Amino acid sequence: MGNCCSDGGSGRAAIGATAAYPTIDGPNDAVQLFLSARGCHGLFSQIELSFSALGLRDRDLCSKSDPLLVIYVRGRDGAVQEVGRTEVVLNSFNPTWITKHTMAFQFEVVQTLIFRVYDVDTPFHNVEVKMLKLDEQQFLGEATCALSQIVTKSSRSLTLDLVPGTEAADSVCSQSCGKLIVHAEECIGSKTTTEIIFRCSDFEHKTLFSRSDPFLVISKIVENGIPIPICKSEVIKNDPRLAWKSVFLNIQQVGSKDSPLVIECFNFNSNGKHDLVGKVQKSLVDLERLHSSGQGENLFYPTSSGNNYQNKQILKSQLFVDTFNESIQCSFLDYLAEGFELNFMVAIDFTASNGNPRLPDSLHYIDPSGHPNAYQRAVLEVGEVLQFYDTDRRFPAWGFGARPIDGPVSHCFNLNGSSNYCEVEGIQGIMMAYMSALLNVSLAGPTLFGPVITNAALLASQSLANSWHKYFVLLIITDGVVTDLQETKDALVKASDLPLSILIVGVGGADFKEMEILDADKGDRLESSNGRVASRDIVQFVPLRDVQSGEISAIQSLLAELPTQFLTFMRTRDIRPS
């Protein structure tokens, strides 16, 4: 019967095109809440996976196999969770399954997928797919990959060899187990974007003697009625004309045009305790009507707790929608399919404040048990994600703030010890070069970022002159506050016109408050010594901290912002995939 679905009355339970297993609904709201609280819009892309196989093993004596595919996700802790099943295809060594699996693409983590193929015996064809006991079926083989390996292919298709795996109880798959083809398609909702420009009139603020620095937070309402922030405007500083810059809402992000949104207006306070001025609750459909009519909507101030807003004070302040444009834009995944890459670079702080590397209390101490120190953790957490977006996996790696043997202090030296080239092979190459450098340099100081940023900018500039298909990501790991603050600002402002983002991770217990000056998340763009303002924010900073069970790594929050920075650079320069 080949790839046909069963057309007999005896086979309709387990065999057919209807997905009988729940799929992942969408991005993790807790993750998005964490990121949104930092002013990050995040990346929302729904991916639909489809599957086919070639050359499956024959486990049936009198007929061909009846294959079923089961999809699993492996977490960072190694735990494996089943997330989907296809239908059963009768009598086929080369099945094409009709059931698709939809999941959210999360750039900031490695999403490891495991696929296992089973031959479902005839007595179980009447059993609903999700009720099948897999230990009663015959195992045909398994394959593993990261979701990023699929979406970075130009065809968005990846062919995997099926192997015996841990499920094989015998040598049945000692020969070829066949091949699995996985194809990824981005859902159109991930590309549909609405541009909105909001304006407020008759602005009321309950604190009469403080200036007005308002900003907007847009939240979606989830099933339990809790608002989840998805977007934040910039802060308008003491400007009587309260018109914010464009905000962009992704339909996938919102849910649908009819989904309720809460738009809250806050007055900014430098202590982080922002005052709620008022709010409105509208869907995208409602906002489009406001734009068409030219009318405003009065803000209200809730006078009771909860989200039903039954008790509220209507304010004179009105929110207007000056612009409402819908468009389908090229997504981050479209650029990847076109061959655009993210090139990873790393710079490590070797200043003396890290402590003697030979002593256990040093931030550079190499634990004989293999437990990574803070520097190694940061390299691994960032590198294991970015390596999939860099085809040659040759990474520039530098150190700064150390004195090579019989030499002066260097504020940018090649981590591999070479005087001619700075690249190393793979993440393991970075780790080996780092450990070797600890044996061959003397920790010194001070902490200067300028030379490292200048070197990274030079590589980005050279690439820009030859190809638009590379975007560079520099990871700087440091234990202290930068000493050459103005020189660093000058280098960053100059680099803001280049395809470059810089992630700064602080390790140890230093006070990193001054470091946040380099991160323009609060709305103030960096300014150079000659008065030039950065064209965009390219720096993100977080202190590295221990992550408790269920929490989100601070480094993951950094990585989650990279696709937005990438798209900002490409779109402002009108660089599009063909």
Side-chain angles (χ1 to χ4, degrees), residues 273-292:
K273 297 179 180 178
H274 311 304
D275 300 318
L276 175 65
V277 177
K279 62 176 71 177
V280 298
Q281 181 168 319
K282 294 290 179 183
S283 66
L284 286 178
V285 171
D286 297 329
L287 294 175
E288 188 173 20
R289 288 173 183 156
L290 283 178
H291 171 65
S292 299

Side-chain angles (χ1 to χ4, degrees), residues 1-19 66-67 86-92 95-99 125:
M1 292 181 63
N3 289 327
C4 296
C5 298
S6 171
D7 55 0
S10 62
R12 289 175 184 162
I15 305 166
T18 302
D66 304 321
T86 67
E87 80 281 9
V88 176
V89 177
L90 294 184
N91 299 326
S92 179
T96 296
W97 289 279
I98 298 175
T99 302
H125 286 181

Side-chain angles (χ1 to χ4, degrees), residues 348-368 371 373-376 400-403 413 434-444 479:
I348 296 176
D349 184 339
F350 282 84
T351 55
S353 55
N354 284 281
N356 187 338
R358 294 174 178 79
L359 301 179
D361 61 350
S362 169
L363 292 170
H364 280 308
Y365 179 68
I366 303 299
D367 192 332
H371 183 74
N373 64 32
Y375 285 93
Q376 292 171 312
F400 60 92
R403 180 180 291 105
F413 59 89
Y434 163 65
M435 290 188 289
S436 176
L438 286 175
L439 301 175
N440 292 294
V441 301
S442 299
L443 275 57
D479 82 317

Side-chain angles (χ1 to χ4, degrees), residues 326-361:
E326 286 184 319
S327 61
I328 296 179
Q329 296 188 339
C330 295
S331 70
F332 178 66
L333 298 182
D334 287 331
Y335 285 92
L336 294 182
E338 185 71 13
F340 284 76
E341 296 185 11
L342 299 180
N343 290 88
F344 178 43
M345 306 180 284
V346 64
I348 296 176
D349 184 339
F350 282 84
T351 55
S353 55
N354 284 281
N356 187 338
R358 294 174 178 79
L359 301 179
D361 61 350

